[in-house]
Amino acid sequence: EKMASATSTPGSLGPAGGPRPNTPNGGMDELLPLVIQLTNAEQREVVLLELSKKRESFADLAPILWHSTGTVAALLQEIVSIYPLLTPPTLTAHASNRVCNALALLQCVASHSDTRQPFLAAQIPLYLYPFLNTQSKSRPFEYLRLTSLGVIGALVKVDDAEVISFLLSTEIIPLCLRIMETGSELSKTVATFIVQKILLEETGLNYVCATAERFYAVSTVLANMVQLLKLHPSVRLLKHVVRCYLRLADHPRARDALKTCLPNSLRDNTFGPHLHNDPTVQKWLSQLLGIVGAGTVEEGNGNANM
């Protein structure tokens, strides 16, 4: 069901999933008719699947999608048509797969250097927020949230200050925080990665640490995640959690607060046995404890003075 596994398919693709050598124009002869068919409602479902499978084979897919007449509107139509299925939650696997194929194409647009800025200027990410705001734990909803997070994740991956400024002007942090607490392990990982990338940008760190309420909204969720990770360890998820804490410690007031509200399980080597194969997390955790202190503290509600 995962789309990433379907990037190399038969037909006009070569064995490595790229255009065959006999398509010197990068598969454009195949791509252009498919993009044009996106605006035909009757053909759209099949074309969405075809393009999402082959999206990594076409280097110019993003600019062609963005600049073709009616194409982005067709993708947004797919997204908006799902809204009525969100409350009450009646989303089927079929409908989820279809809209996720449209989201995969938007992720291409979000990732491409030529289309990222206009993608933000048009505020396209806001169309995905109703999906991130859902709480049903059924598989179609989980897949929808994960794919939507993938679009935001593609935006933050490029270390662009403009992306972070845009996201900070929206409610992305509260949306990610809730997924970090209640989502599947994979969704939690992507949501935490997004928060991590926001924090790594100076404006993001200052935003989160501007008020005690914002700081504790983030640090409380991170602490709750650490508690759950004690029961269900995931080095991949723990890596992002530790990196968030380490970045928060760069801010003077947050650093002081973390001296008392950093979970003891990060101080007492609880996760040591799980980290012996990951020197990066070991190094980050060591740096963090060097900054905030390795001694255990009496754990209350985590709300030390900031």
Side-chain angles (χ1 to χ4, degrees), residues 6-20 30 53-54 57-58:
T7 51
S8 58
T9 51
S12 65
L13 299 185
R20 283 192 174 150
E30 182 188 12
K53 281 181 178 178
K54 299 180 177 179
S57 308
F58 302 120

Side-chain angles (χ1 to χ4, degrees), residues 229-293:
L229 282 165
K230 284 164 60 177
L231 303 173
H232 308 286
S234 161
V235 175
R236 177 173 58 176
L237 182 52
L238 182 63
K239 185 174 195 168
H240 295 301
V241 170
V242 170
R243 190 65 187 92
C244 285
Y245 271 128
L246 182 58
R247 178 54 173 161
L248 285 169
D250 284 337
H251 192 281
R253 283 190 297 161
R255 185 185 314 137
D256 288 341
L258 287 173
K259 288 175 182 175
T260 52
C261 74
L262 186 74
N264 281 334
S265 50
L266 289 179
R267 304 175 191 259
D268 62 11
N269 203 36
T270 295
F271 295 102
H274 304 289
L275 299 180
H276 60 270
N277 288 328
D278 201 318
T280 303
V281 189
Q282 287 178 328
K283 182 183 79 173
W284 288 345
L285 190 51
S286 174
Q287 287 175 335
L288 176 62
L289 296 180
I291 294 168
V292 304

Side-chain angles (χ1 to χ4, degrees), residues 83 122-131 152 166 169-171:
Y83 290 170
Q123 305 199 13
I124 305 290
L126 298 182
Y127 286 91
L128 279 52
Y129 285 17
F131 299 161
I152 310 298
F166 170 82
S169 73
T170 72
E171 74 242 48

Side-chain angles (χ1 to χ4, degrees), residues 128-162:
L128 279 52
Y129 285 17
F131 299 161
L132 297 178
N133 203 28
T134 58
Q135 297 182 61
S136 169
K137 293 190 181 296
S138 73
R139 188 165 178 162
F141 276 96
E142 186 55 45
Y143 188 37
L144 179 64
R145 280 191 296 272
L146 181 60
T147 312
S148 301
L149 285 168
V151 179
I152 310 298
L155 280 173
V156 299
K157 202 179 266 188
V158 294
D159 298 323
D160 182 338
E162 194 176 337

Side-chain angles (χ1 to χ4, degrees), residues 35-49:
V35 170
I36 290 167
Q37 287 169 33
L38 278 175
T39 55
N40 183 324
E42 292 173 7
Q43 298 173 308
R44 191 178 301 151
E45 182 172 7
V46 174
V47 176
L48 283 170
L49 178 60

Side-chain angles (χ1 to χ4, degrees), residues 3 45 48-49 52 96-105 143:
M3 293 176 296
E45 182 172 7
L48 283 170
L49 178 60
S52 71
S96 176
N97 287 339
R98 174 169 173 163
V99 74
C100 284
N101 288 333
L103 291 171
L105 298 184
Y143 188 37

